[in-house]
Amino acid sequence: MEKNKKIVVGNMKMNLTSKEISTYLKFVNKKITSRRVVICPTSIYVPYFVNQNYFVGLQNIYSEEKGAYTGEISPKQAYSMGISFVIVGHSERRTLFKESDTLIHNKVKAALENHLNVILCIGETEEERSLLKTDVVIKRQIKSALKGLDSAMISKVILAYEPIWSIGTGVIPKKKDIEKTIDYIKGLVFQEFLVEDIPVLYGGSVNEKNIEKLNTIPNVSGFLVGGASTDPEKFLKIIEVAVGR
Ligand code: PGA
C-alpha cells in the first residue's frame, strides 16, 4: 500500500450476527473497490471477507507463533488466512483486557516478523488530557511499542491517534488539536526512530457527518472508524470522502 495516500480502516469490534454479516457483505463487496480500505471484522467472520478488493485486518493478535494459548490467534495463522493488517493496542484492549505496554510491544514485534502490517493505537484519557499529559502519554506508548525495532520494520506500522474520550462518545477534538498532536507524533517517531513521515490516522467518533470536516486536517493520513463501519452506507460515505471508491 502506498504510504502517501489516505486510508480508511473499519474496526467492527464485537458487532453483527452471521446473518447481518451476509447483508453487510452483499453491500460492501459490490461497492468498495478501493485498495485504500482495511476492514477488521470480528475474527470468526474473517473467511467471509478475504479475497475482495479491500484488505482484511484483525482487531487483535497474540505475540506467540503457536502453542497452548487457548482462544488466541497467532500472526502466522493470520497471515496464512490472507490477513494483511492487525490492530494492536486499541484502548479497549489496554483498559478492559489490561494489556500492558510490554505485551503490546511483543504483539507489534511478532506481527511485523510475520509479514503483517500493524495499526498501532495510541491516545490519552480524558483525565490525562485535562492534566495536559497527552504528549507524555503518547510518547510512552510509542517508545515502548516500537522499542528496538529497525526502520524497515517501523515502515510497516501505521499509527492511529485515538483520544480515548472520543471513542464511541460522539465528541471529537478540535481540528487544530488533532493536527497538533499528529505533528507531535510524526516528529517524535523521526527523532526516536529516524522514520520520516510515519502515517497517522485519526480515530474516535468518525462518522458520515463529520468526515468532510475531519478530512481537511492537512497532516491526517486517514481514519480508523469504529461504530460507523458497521453500517455499510455510513462506512461507504466515509470511504468516498476520504479515499474515493
Ligand atoms: P468509534 O470507535 O468510531 O466508534 O468512536 C473508534 C475505535 O474504537 O477505533
Side-chain angles (χ1 to χ4, degrees):
M1 210 185 246
E2 291 162 71
K3 278 180 91 179
N4 55 354
K5 289 194 190 151
K6 284 195 184 138
I7 73 163
V8 173
V9 182
N11 173 12
M12 299 178 74
K13 309 192 181 181
M14 197 177 71
N15 289 304
L16 307 190
T17 61
S18 150
K19 205 166 158 210
E20 288 162 340
I21 288 285
S22 308
T23 315
Y24 184 89
L25 280 169
K26 276 189 197 122
F27 192 91
V28 299
N29 287 355
K30 208 161 43 185
K31 306 249 170 147
I32 301 179
T33 54
S34 171
R35 296 291 280 175
R36 313 294 311 161
V37 176
V38 183
I39 302 184
C40 305
T42 311
S43 47
I44 47 169
Y45 301 135
V46 158
Y48 301 140
F49 283 79
V50 289
N51 298 324
Q52 297 296 327
N53 287 317
Y54 47 81
F55 290 99
V56 182
L58 288 186
Q59 300 170 13
N60 179 34
I61 198 79
Y62 197 53
S63 51
E64 298 296 325
E65 221 169 72
K66 64 174 184 168
Y69 302 101
T70 302
E72 296 296 326
I73 297 172
S74 85
K76 196 173 179 175
Q77 291 175 313
Y79 185 67
S80 77
M81 283 295 287
I83 288 161
S84 32
F85 286 82
V86 62
I87 299 174
V88 180
H90 189 280
S91 68
E92 286 149 21
R93 304 278 339 156
R94 291 181 193 260
T95 51
L96 299 172
F97 301 98
K98 312 274 180 287
E99 290 198 3
S100 66
D101 285 338
T102 308
L103 179 61
I104 290 166
H105 166 75
N106 293 342
K107 288 182 172 196
V108 169
K109 190 163 178 279
L112 293 171
E113 283 170 352
N114 285 282
H115 320 288
L116 299 176
N117 296 283
V118 169
I119 300 159
L120 173 66
C121 299
I122 50 174
E124 80 287 0
T125 62
E126 188 156 30
E127 193 192 351
E128 287 159 348
R129 184 176 189 88
S130 67
L131 295 170
L132 305 177
K133 284 192 174 159
T134 299
D135 291 359
V136 180
V137 170
I138 284 174
K139 186 174 189 172
R140 191 203 79 228
Q141 291 171 334
I142 293 178
K143 279 182 74 174
S144 63
L146 303 182
K147 194 174 67 189
L149 303 180
D150 62 31
S151 52
M153 280 177 113
I154 297 177
S155 69
K156 293 187 77 188
V157 175
I158 294 170
L159 294 172
Y161 171 52
E162 299 205 298
I164 295 171
W165 49 275
S166 177
I167 296 176
T169 59
V171 184
I172 50 172
K174 292 195 183 86
K175 265 175 53 181
K176 67 167 184 10
D177 289 341
I178 298 175
E179 186 180 347
K180 206 171 118 226
T181 304
I182 292 179
D183 251 348
Y184 172 74
I185 293 168
K186 284 180 187 269
L188 176 74
V189 173
F190 181 65
Q191 191 190 315
E192 299 286 335
F193 302 99
L194 298 178
V195 172
E196 225 174 322
D197 207 18
I198 191 160
V200 186
L201 313 180
Y202 169 76
S205 294
V206 177
N207 62 34
E208 74 291 357
K209 295 193 189 94
N210 57 29
I211 185 63
E212 305 214 14
K213 188 171 145 200
L214 289 169
N215 199 42
T216 62
I217 299 170
N219 55 2
V220 75
S221 310
F223 302 94
L224 177 49
V225 186
S229 73
T230 62
D231 178 324
E233 302 213 20
K234 291 181 183 170
F235 193 40
L236 200 72
K237 169 81 201 291
I238 294 167
I239 291 167
E240 274 172 0
V241 172
V243 299
R245 268 197 206 166

